[in-house]
Amino acid sequence: MNALTQYGVLFGLTLGTIGFVLCFYLLACAIGSTRREPGKDVPATAGSLSRDPVWVRYHAKYYGYALLFLAFDMEMAFMYPWAVVYREEGLTALLDMGVFLAILFLGLLYGWSQGALRRQE
Amino acid sequence: MRGARHGTMNALQRIAAAAMSRDLCGFVVPGAEIARTVGIDLGDAGLRLSATPRHANVLVVIGRLPAGLLDAACVVYAQMPRPRAILTLGTNDISPLPVPDATGPLTQAGLEAAIADIRRIFAMAAFQPDVENFEAPTLETSTEYTCPMHPEVVQEAPGNCPKCGMTLVERETAGSVHRGHAVPEQKREVAAQKHSKPVAVCHDRSKGGHSADGDNHEQHKTHGSGHKQHHMRAKPDNTEAPLQYTCPMHPEVVSDEAGSCPKCGMHLVPVAEAGGHSGHDHKAHGKAHDEHSTDNHRGGHGGHGGSERVEGVEAHFMSMVDLTRDMPASADGLKMEWIDVPFGPFFPGLPGGLQLKLTLDGDAVATTSADSLVGSSDPLRANPSSPIEFVDHLAALSPLSPIAYRLLACLALEQAAGQSVAPDIARARLAVVERERVASHLGWLAVFGAQSGSSWIEKRAAAFQLKVQGAAATDVTTLKPKLSTFLAKLQRTPLLAARLSGIGQLPANDTLSGPVARASGMASDTRSDDPVYAEIGFSVLTMTDGDALARLVQRCNEITQSLDLISAVGSVARLEPHSIGAASGTGEAVVETPRGAARLSLTLHKGKVIAADIKTPTTAHLTLIGDVAEGQELGDALTGIGSLDISPWEVTS
């Protein structure tokens, strides 16, 4: 496939995409315009009006999440050199990393069981 | 068709309309559970059901709706995309909603005929050149003017504040058109000023009477100090002679004589008074500190005097301490913003007609208030009423369990008239009430399935409910093995026990009744005093844990028990009221309805009911919502509230 054919394919793809989008746009136009009614702009709150802003600050209690993130982030840092020597070390490397990951994972399970993943605790 | 989409019917529109007429998606008010209790299967009639109006194109109205519910139905209808239609069953009067496109009697055949009509209308008139806008009365807004410093100053025309002379600012409010309840008023307050929010919230809490838990006290305290603080800023004692005047909003404006601010037109105040805001009068601030140092104040105060004045930047600009000053404190003492979130009256996981207003602190429920939009206040509609009318009216009072209330009325009438019924009729009555209990518990299971997102529970329970209600005793016996298999499978559902255990725990107390009480270990069941029940070997079943799981298992066990009772009786009769004649007297009766013991006392005078008083289990259970939900995460709170099996129709005031 020479360069010109490749550009040709690319051009065809572009045209196809634009045509696809245009088809849907025309179809939507043909079916009719939507009406702007005030009721449609209100958040659906099961039959009652809610105008209060919902973007509010609340206490995320990030400490626990930060600790968990740190543990799993550090694990990734260890895994890069491990991946380099993995081929040479073979099964030993797999077991070593397996034990390391298992300990971390047990920590996560323990945290979960103690409610560390709940915002309320 | 009032809800047609704008356009003309050309070939393309015809195709689209025909496709839409085949794929109808309904939003049911007051709820699918009401449709099931009258034996209507919406899915069977070819209607997909939607949990949100945004996905629906048919508004299905089941029976007559009270005014509050009609207002809410207007909001739902206004939110549905066009083309949209209204289908009513058993009622024609749905104003302020537009005239229904199709209507029918409250039966399955009526529904099917009405749906066929809707399909025809969709295919013919889904697109029309001239269509009108529809506006829900509760969504109509009006513009009013208020003072930024004095939220109590509200007027319809622009002008200056009579208190401080500041220019009033424009604000949008909800329309006050026929809303029976005080919602717009309350909303206005909350929207007006964040200050008013903690005040309103704390009042709510103390009204609810849940001041037993510890953090509640803390809340009151913090609120107390916030309130004082507010007062301090508004009315400081003027001991020092003012030398200079400044604007409360623009501290850079300093003048030697009183007047109005060149920037905002507000009256200038003495410098000492403005000190609390601009932070450069340390003396006044220090005094304020001493004055309420007895209060347990936290957060809020520390950084008060700390901010330096920077040219061009308002003092305390973006200061966290200032931003959160008057906000309510969470259980951990941190002041954060709370939001009001309404759930219902058409929330798919709660019974239709129940309106919850939750205040959320993050994802936790801080305060709750529950209200029924469909509750009736008077068991006597016409006074005096004939026994037949009275029985029918009482049955209509509770569409989720009409037979139990019908029996309650019959028993009280018969007692007042001094009549007694034959033993075989008494047993057949027992069977019909037990059959309704099975159907009602299955209906609750279907709502629970909808709430927890397990559609198979919802579908199977709804199908069983439709089969059980109206079935003869022999059919009930043949249904029993299948139903037992379903209940066993339900209780083995993976993660169900883990999800429900510990949720909505309620200790045994006098407020509880029915399955909720029995799940908390109380052997409270008025059936145990009934000789007819004793005769066929009834014993009270109880659980111990008192949480949502216990209530689920309790209801499953009661379904099995009731099926056994029906088999033991062997016949189910229609419940007909006795002819009372021209008797006079007073009667009292109690019936164990599917939700607990309902008590009725009435006075009969020459064959007419002249006074009646009813106590329903749900009225008491409504007060439990606070105990079950407050302090819980939103999902747990809703599960807990759902597990109470509240019927908003039975709420009497």
Side-chain angles (χ1 to χ4, degrees), chain B residues 206-230:
Chain B
S206 43
K207 203 165 40 182
H210 326 290
S211 48
D213 49 322
D215 32 282
N216 214 340
H217 282 289
E218 305 228 309
Q219 297 233 353
H220 277 283
K221 239 177 200 168
T222 345
H223 160 231
S225 81
H227 204 72
K228 216 169 201 169
Q229 212 176 333
H230 187 67

Side-chain angles (χ1 to χ4, degrees), chain B residues 509-513 522 617 620-621 623-624:
Chain B
N509 66 60
D510 288 343
T511 327
L512 312 184
S513 87
M522 298 163 71
H621 283 176
T623 60
L624 296 173

Side-chain angles (χ1 to χ4, degrees), chain A residues 30 32 35 37 42 46 119, chain B residues 5 13 54 82 133 361 363:
Chain A
R35 281 184 95 73
E37 289 171 285
V42 179
R119 205 185 68 83
Chain B
R5 187 160 169 164
Q13 263 83 342
R54 309 270 191 206
R82 285 164 184 269
N133 276 0
D361 165 28
D363 59 356

Side-chain angles (χ1 to χ4, degrees), chain A residues 30-32 34-35 37-40 42-44 46-49 51-53 56-59 61 118-120, chain B residues 5 12-13 54 72 79 82 84 127 131 133-134 139 141 172 187 332 334 337 339 344-345 361-364 636:
Chain A
I31 280 181
T34 49
R35 281 184 95 73
E37 289 171 285
K40 291 176 184 168
V42 179
S48 42
L49 178 67
R51 278 180 186 281
D52 288 349
V56 292
R57 284 178 296 269
Y58 66 90
H59 193 196
K61 303 187 184 166
R118 293 173 74 95
R119 205 185 68 83
Q120 296 307 301
Chain B
R5 187 160 169 164
L12 193 66
Q13 263 83 342
R54 309 270 191 206
Q79 292 184 326
R82 285 164 184 269
R84 58 194 179 193
F127 294 87
V131 284
N133 276 0
F134 171 78
L139 294 185
T141 54
E172 210 180 48
K187 281 271 171 225
D332 56 6
L334 279 164
E337 280 172 299
I339 47 171
D361 165 28
D363 59 356
D636 293 353

